[in-house]
Amino acid sequence: MRDISVLEISGGRAPAHVAIIMDGNGRWAKRKGLPRIMGHRAGAERLREIVEASVRNGIEYLTVFAFSTENWRRSKSEVEGLMNLFRIYSRSEANSLNSNGIRVRFIGDRSELEPRVYEAMAKLESATENNSKLCLTVAINYGGRDDIARAAKRLARAAADGEIDPDLVNEGYFAAMFDTGFLPDPDLVVRTSGEMRISNFLIWQSAYAEFAFVDTLWPDFTAERFETVLESYSRRDRRFGAAAS
């Protein structure tokens, strides 16, 4: 029997695009007396459950913040552990993702990643490119300001080469230059762990997103907790600058 989503029960509407700042792995591990990398492994396991819940609730796009441009400041051992986790996940999850119709895309500056990490990511993108049930986008070495700066560089080069007329550049044209040019703007941005900031994540794209800041650490953010957030979102009145009806 197919699982019934909380939105089907409540009659609420699902956001088309949910973006999640998966925060709290390190604190989760510390509370349990474990190395930080064990928190990241637990977080990777939790992502599987949230991906399944996203499909069940009719979400079309799920974007997760896995490693920011600022995370290079962490200890060498933690960064190496995270990069190995990305590489292993990219190789081990391909069959499961394909069987569930999930397409994987990566955003962020890949130029600073090790070749073996970049290659594993590219292979997973290629292996899942024909899937259409859910687009799972993973942000690695991503920063919102960096995304805007790199988009501006692309526009500047195109203008310098005579490929575009600068007078024709508008918001839509500029947004198409972002790493997220293939995605619609997020409807809902969720941050776990109780922090109330977006930490340089999708800062242009989330201009009219709804936000949910939850106290739960990411490894403890169950599908049930996620569906509670979705149900709350379904009751919000999104006006995009218009007056209330």
Side-chain angles (χ1 to χ4, degrees):
M1 180 181 295
R2 182 178 68 85
D3 290 336
I4 299 175
S5 75
V6 68
L7 294 179
E8 288 179 300
I9 295 172
S10 67
R13 71 191 188 288
H17 183 184
V18 176
I20 302 179
I21 302 171
M22 305 181 295
D23 193 25
N25 292 341
R27 276 167 283 172
W28 181 90
K30 183 178 181 180
R31 289 179 184 179
K32 295 181 177 296
L34 299 171
R36 287 179 63 87
I37 192 60
M38 296 303 294
H40 295 305
R41 290 178 182 173
E45 292 296 325
R46 183 60 64 195
L47 179 57
R48 292 190 182 98
E49 181 178 346
I50 299 305
V51 168
E52 292 172 0
S54 297
V55 172
R56 184 168 63 250
N57 284 279
I59 294 166
E60 300 174 53
Y61 303 92
L62 176 66
T63 301
V64 296
F65 204 9
F67 190 88
S68 77
T69 49
E70 292 73 38
N71 286 157
W72 296 106
R73 301 170 186 169
R74 297 187 177 185
S75 70
K76 182 179 179 181
S77 61
E78 183 174 357
V79 170
E80 289 180 348
L82 277 165
M83 292 300 157
N84 283 330
L85 188 61
F86 298 149
R87 180 173 54 84
I88 292 169
Y89 182 91
S90 295
R91 291 189 312 189
S92 66
E93 295 300 308
N95 289 338
S96 175
L97 291 164
N98 274 324
S99 64
N100 287 289
I102 297 165
R103 182 177 188 179
V104 179
R105 304 286 295 270
F106 292 93
I107 57 174
D109 184 359
R110 304 188 191 194
S111 66
E112 297 182 31
L113 301 177
E114 293 182 5
R116 60 178 184 168
V117 175
Y118 171 86
E119 290 166 4
M121 291 161 50
K123 286 181 180 178
L124 183 59
E125 286 181 318
S126 177
T128 62
E129 65 182 353
N130 293 321
N131 298 333
S132 58
K133 187 171 290 185
L134 172 73
C135 179
L136 171 62
T137 303
V138 183
I140 296 179
N141 195 27
Y142 177 86
R145 291 180 174 179
D146 181 66
D147 193 7
I148 293 171
R150 288 186 287 110
K153 288 179 183 178
R154 295 184 189 108
L155 276 176
R157 291 192 188 103
D161 293 341
E163 297 174 2
I164 62 170
D165 179 352
D167 290 334
L168 298 180
V169 175
N170 56 24
E171 289 185 14
Y173 200 112
F174 189 39
M177 295 288 178
F178 295 154
D179 289 356
T180 56
F182 62 93
L183 290 169
D185 288 343
D187 300 295
L188 173 65
V189 177
V190 181
R191 180 171 187 150
T192 60
S193 87
E195 302 292 353
M196 295 187 181
R197 54 181 179 270
I198 61 173
S199 297
N200 199 20
F201 182 50
L202 302 180
I203 55 178
W204 171 290
Q205 298 87 339
S206 59
Y208 275 101
E210 297 291 316
F211 287 84
F213 298 101
V214 297
D215 292 334
T216 311
L217 300 175
W218 174 248
D220 293 327
F221 189 66
T222 63
E224 290 76 17
R225 185 71 181 90
F226 181 44
E227 290 189 329
T228 298
V229 173
L230 295 179
E231 202 277 328
S232 175
Y233 165 88
S234 74
R235 298 195 302 270
R236 299 188 188 185
D237 180 18
R238 303 183 71 197
R239 299 191 295 273
F240 300 95
S245 57

